Amino acid sequence: MKDVIKMLTSGNIPFKTDMPATLVSSYRGGGTTAVIAYPENAVALAECVRIATENGVPCMPLGNGTNILVKDGGFNGIMISLIGFRNVTRHGNSLVCGAGAGLAGIANTAAGYDLSGLEELSGIPGTAGGALRMNAGAFGRELSELVDSVTVYDAEARQVRKLTRGEIPFSYRSSGNVFGKAVALETTLLLTEGISVKEKSAFYREKRRAKQPCAPSLGSVFLKAENGMSAGYYIEKAGLKGARIGGAEISEKHANFIVNRGGGTAKDYCSLMSLAHTVVESKYGITLEPEIVIVGGE
């Protein structure tokens, strides 16, 4: 990584090295990340991608780390922080949101203008970029329903371009492979004039808070089953609530959450994932698919 560090330095791009997962992942456990770069604009972000490509090291965007688990062996690549892309600007009934802007903050901004559409998503802790990639949703609402366009840096074409909603194959918790090849810079969300938007947002935030644990976690571990039932339903039915390996535990409050009870490692987390996957498949013939992103080695 010496050449990477040298090139980032010469390009005047701020970065940090050997970042522990306690500062990267909301699970607060796992390995270190070799380099986290902090580009302040699209030109600098493009330079980060070029540096990673030329040095043959993996790179990936980083929002709030709310669904990223770094394996205990660490991520020997570059995470590109989107903290410099947090703008949220109103244009009529639309909000133009930087990919690093928190979805909860975007929803609060919309509520402040009495713009409706984001109420159900107001408690989601991730960023706009992450929410786009996984088509975040809650209480029957998905972000894709509100997307008008997304401005991306296309790593293959090496240019910034705008994608319309129709160019992104959104589906349940997926945006196809669009954001595997491009980094979201900002998105325009189409909202509508509403009534009592603040009150509705507060209602959904409280509803979310009441059903989910407050200990460090990565949110929902598994996607819904193919039959539409929640993964948590099967994990709870299998009697796995409260199961613990090392410092990780399947939450007593919500069975589709794995929480860090202190000193939890990525291995602890993955072991509980494997346990839930195996038991649910054995008992009910249901194959659970992960919702979280796992990076790194060992």
Side-chain angles (χ1 to χ4, degrees):
M1 298 296 290
K2 289 183 179 179
D3 288 341
V4 167
I5 291 170
K6 183 177 180 180
M7 294 171 76
L8 289 171
T9 301
S10 63
N12 293 315
I13 299 173
F15 66 91
K16 294 180 180 179
T17 60
D18 299 324
M19 288 287 284
T22 52
L23 300 177
V24 174
S25 169
S26 61
Y27 171 64
R28 301 294 179 248
T32 60
T33 295
V35 175
I36 298 183
Y38 299 88
E40 298 175 350
N41 52 54
V43 173
L45 185 147
E47 181 66 4
C48 290
V49 175
R50 182 188 70 82
I51 289 170
T53 301
E54 289 189 2
N55 286 276
V57 300
C59 72
M60 60 178 293
L62 174 68
N64 289 343
T66 53
N67 74 333
I68 293 177
L69 182 68
V70 182
K71 286 188 175 182
D72 296 320
F75 179 70
N76 192 31
I78 304 173
M79 288 190 182
I80 303 174
S81 172
L82 297 177
I83 195 172
F85 299 80
R86 289 187 167 179
N87 57 292
V88 180
T89 308
R90 180 185 183 183
H91 294 280
N93 286 348
S94 297
L95 290 181
V96 178
C97 312
L103 196 57
I106 294 171
N108 286 340
T109 298
Y113 290 125
D114 271 332
L115 292 177
S116 179
L118 286 163
E119 294 93 323
E120 295 90 341
L121 310 182
S122 59
I124 294 177
T127 58
L132 285 166
R133 181 166 186 153
M134 68 173 293
N135 189 19
F139 303 112
R141 169 76 75 182
E142 292 184 334
L143 184 66
S144 58
E145 299 170 42
L146 308 171
V147 172
D148 177 62
S149 63
V150 182
T151 300
V152 304
Y153 173 69
D154 186 323
E156 289 186 342
R158 296 191 178 186
Q159 64 180 10
V160 174
R161 63 192 186 98
K162 182 174 286 190
L163 303 176
T164 64
R165 164 66 179 79
E167 293 178 279
I168 305 173
F170 285 117
S171 59
Y172 170 65
R173 298 298 178 270
S174 174
S175 54
N177 64 352
V178 170
F179 299 110
K181 301 176 181 178
V183 180
L185 302 176
E186 68 176 24
T187 183
T188 298
L189 303 179
L190 294 179
L191 307 174
T192 58
E193 293 183 6
I195 300 173
S196 303
V197 177
K198 289 182 181 179
E199 290 78 5
K200 292 175 184 176
S201 295
F203 169 80
Y204 283 111
R205 281 198 303 273
E206 182 55 37
K207 190 173 181 180
R208 185 181 184 88
R209 189 178 299 116
K211 65 183 289 190
Q212 297 181 356
C214 59
S217 77
L218 298 176
S220 295
V221 181
F222 297 103
L223 299 168
K224 286 182 180 178
E226 287 187 0
N227 62 10
M229 295 295 292
S230 71
Y233 166 80
Y234 287 108
I235 297 170
E236 180 175 355
K237 188 177 179 181
L240 293 176
K241 265 190 171 183
R244 185 164 180 168
I245 295 177
E249 177 188 271
I250 294 177
S251 172
E252 292 273 12
K253 193 169 187 179
H254 193 309
N256 199 25
F257 278 61
I258 292 176
V259 297
N260 192 336
R261 289 301 184 192
T265 65
K267 184 178 180 180
D268 296 339
Y269 191 104
C270 290
S271 294
L272 282 177
M273 283 185 70
S274 180
L275 175 67
H277 183 280
T278 299
V279 173
V280 168
E281 188 168 54
S282 174
K283 287 192 172 186
Y284 310 112
I286 297 294
T287 301
L288 299 178
E289 298 293 340
E291 182 170 326
I292 68 165
V293 177
I294 302 175
V295 300
E298 299 176 32

